[in-house]
Amino acid sequence: GVGFKNGSMRLGEDALVLSKSKDTQSVIFLSRNLNKGRQNLYVPQYTLNTHSLEYAAELMDLEEAENNKQMIMKHSIFINERLLQRQMEEIRSTTGTRIIILNPVLDELDLTSDPHDIRIAKRELDDGLNFRQESRVQAKDVP
């Protein structure tokens, strides 16, 4: 709800929310950077069928889903489908949610009290694929 959106935006400029149910997997990108200078909020999201990993056509237009996925890959650190799917696989149960805060607002975070509470991801993945160093966007890039 509103509390989650306000709280996550205090922690970072952007947040990627991955949610998994028995039949679907959804990816939602909340982004201050993506919405700078815009009057209408743009929140790219898409949903896949958990078993086939195809778009859930009954939930949204397939072209819109593909455009939203491309926007997420363009403006987040997850630059391809494989990286996004790997994050979804980190949800080990059949249902759950994973929230990844991007572009952290460091003055809002206590990084020292508990070393296991807040973790900053490595800049490079184990298989050699690189994260984007920065994921800033311009409002003109948004459809």
Side-chain angles (χ1 to χ4, degrees):
V2 173
F4 165 74
K5 288 180 263 186
N6 287 336
S8 65
M9 294 296 102
R10 282 189 62 206
L11 296 175
E13 294 288 319
D14 308 305
L16 189 70
V17 181
L18 301 108
S19 184
K20 183 174 166 183
S21 71
K22 180 182 173 192
D23 297 319
T24 61
Q25 301 178 359
S26 297
V27 178
I28 303 166
F29 188 52
L30 304 170
S31 176
R32 263 193 203 156
N33 291 312
L34 189 63
N35 285 291
K36 279 184 183 165
R38 294 182 55 83
Q39 289 186 350
N40 297 318
L41 185 64
Y42 177 62
V43 180
Q45 59 186 324
Y46 65 92
T47 300
L48 302 174
N49 177 293
T50 297
H51 307 290
S52 68
L53 297 181
E54 298 292 327
Y55 292 121
E58 67 278 8
L59 297 177
M60 70 185 311
D61 175 74
L62 298 179
E63 185 176 340
E64 179 184 6
E66 178 63 23
N67 289 339
N68 285 344
K69 181 173 67 175
Q70 294 301 321
M71 188 64 67
I72 292 168
M73 290 187 303
K74 180 177 179 182
H75 297 295
S76 77
I77 62 174
F78 303 102
I79 59 176
N80 61 46
E81 291 178 53
R82 188 166 145 229
L83 293 176
L84 283 168
Q85 189 58 36
R86 184 180 295 161
Q87 293 305 310
M88 190 65 75
E89 291 165 1
E90 288 294 321
I91 303 171
R92 305 254 188 245
S93 63
T94 56
T95 63
T97 300
R98 181 174 175 86
I99 301 166
I100 301 167
I101 305 294
L102 306 168
N103 299 312
V105 179
L106 296 177
D107 59 342
E108 292 284 342
L109 301 175
D110 175 4
L111 299 173
T112 59
S113 296
D114 182 349
H116 300 289
D117 183 34
I118 298 173
R119 295 177 292 178
I120 305 296
K122 294 187 300 183
R123 291 289 185 188
E124 191 168 291
L125 297 174
D126 294 335
D127 63 4
L129 297 172
N130 290 322
F131 279 124
R132 285 207 175 100
Q133 293 295 321
E134 193 171 328
S135 58
R136 301 284 180 208
V137 297
Q138 301 293 322
K140 65 182 181 198
D141 293 338
V142 180

